[in-house]
Amino acid sequence: MSTNNNTTEKKGSFFQDNQKSITFIIGGILVLILLYIGYQKLYLAPRAETAADAMYKAEEYALIDSLQKKAIDGDGSFLGFKEIADEYSNTKSANIANAYLGGLYLRQGNFQEAIKYLQKYSDTGSEILDPLVTGMVGDAYSESHDYKKAADLYKKAANKASNSYTTPLFLKKLGLVQEQLNEYKSAEESYTRIRNDFPESQEAATIDALIARVKAKQ
């Protein structure tokens, strides 16, 4: 009975920590918007101007929970991200639309659709956007309880670029799924890297408690 209780507590603790991912997903969409604006101004080719013009209404809908279906499917007057991704394929707008779709489906709990669209995204060379999308694929696998696959993707996202926003975020998520896989030494290494390399990050504020937790389980 005691063992079952401990297992329940462990799983409960893991999922309680991992529920914070919803805040990350919302933040991720905001980051995508900011990056999209930069791409619209600096990188979009003339051929893609129509797609760029079509994006703005879908972006507005994406920020309102009750209107996210319109962001995905459109509203009859304005295109949704799905149609933009299909009709303007091979444009930067379509690439960003795939990232939006993945983030929105992830928020809805439709993890297979999230994975489908996030995997259509092509890296842009951005140190923020590229690891962000890779990490959201990890979120979809984590929420689907495929922790091994999630760990691989979080590790890839953390190592894709070194910055104080995405790297410690995905190192923490990596540590959480490593705990779920009973890989406590690896989790300790992930958490310790946050403490050593990103001491000013938000994740570092509570990292000592996580390090102590995994040390106690080894």
Side-chain angles (χ1 to χ4, degrees):
M1 181 67 69
S2 176
T3 301
N4 289 338
N5 287 340
N6 289 339
T7 301
T8 301
E9 289 174 5
K10 181 184 76 171
K11 290 182 182 294
S13 176
F14 172 80
F15 286 113
Q16 185 177 9
D17 286 336
N18 207 37
Q19 283 301 310
K20 296 177 183 178
S21 66
I22 191 65
T23 302
F24 157 66
I25 295 164
I26 295 170
I29 291 175
L30 294 175
V31 169
L32 288 172
I33 290 173
L34 294 175
L35 288 168
Y36 168 73
I37 291 171
Y39 269 83
Q40 184 180 13
K41 290 179 178 179
L42 300 176
Y43 299 109
L44 285 175
R47 173 184 174 276
E49 287 181 0
T50 303
D53 291 341
M55 289 282 282
Y56 82 95
K57 194 65 178 180
E59 290 174 333
E60 290 181 2
Y61 287 149
L63 295 176
I64 304 171
D65 287 345
S66 62
L67 298 179
Q68 286 176 10
K69 189 177 187 304
K70 290 184 178 181
I72 293 171
D73 296 321
D75 64 1
S77 298
F78 296 93
L79 300 180
F81 291 126
K82 188 179 291 185
E83 194 168 359
I84 292 169
D86 290 340
E87 287 198 7
Y88 300 98
S89 59
N90 300 320
T91 68
K92 286 181 168 58
S93 292
N95 197 35
I96 298 297
N98 283 323
Y100 270 117
L101 285 165
L104 289 169
Y105 281 125
L106 188 57
R107 290 181 67 186
Q108 292 177 0
N110 192 340
F111 305 126
Q112 291 307 308
E113 285 296 292
I115 292 167
K116 171 185 171 182
Y117 282 100
L118 290 169
Q119 288 182 333
K120 288 183 178 182
Y121 171 83
S122 298
D123 282 354
T124 63
S126 168
E127 292 188 356
I128 298 294
L129 184 58
D130 294 349
L132 188 66
V133 173
T134 299
M136 284 197 288
V137 182
D139 282 340
Y141 278 108
S142 176
E143 298 291 350
S144 300
H145 311 302
D146 188 344
Y147 302 117
K148 181 64 176 175
K149 185 69 173 178
D152 291 342
L153 286 157
Y154 288 148
K155 187 179 297 184
K156 183 178 179 181
N159 293 329
K160 188 163 269 192
S162 181
N163 61 72
S164 59
Y165 174 58
T166 63
T167 309
L169 175 65
F170 292 124
L171 285 172
K172 181 179 179 182
K173 287 174 178 287
L174 174 59
L176 288 171
V177 295
Q178 286 169 331
E179 284 194 64
Q180 190 69 2
L181 293 165
N182 298 325
E183 297 175 357
Y184 301 120
K185 182 64 177 177
S186 295
E188 180 186 351
E189 292 172 358
S190 298
Y191 295 147
T192 301
R193 185 177 165 195
I194 295 173
R195 185 177 65 184
N196 292 345
D197 296 350
F198 303 96
E200 303 302 319
S201 67
Q202 180 179 348
E203 289 74 19
T206 58
I207 208 65
D208 286 340
L210 296 180
I211 292 172
R213 183 171 74 187
V214 294
K215 282 185 173 180
K217 293 177 179 178
Q218 293 179 43

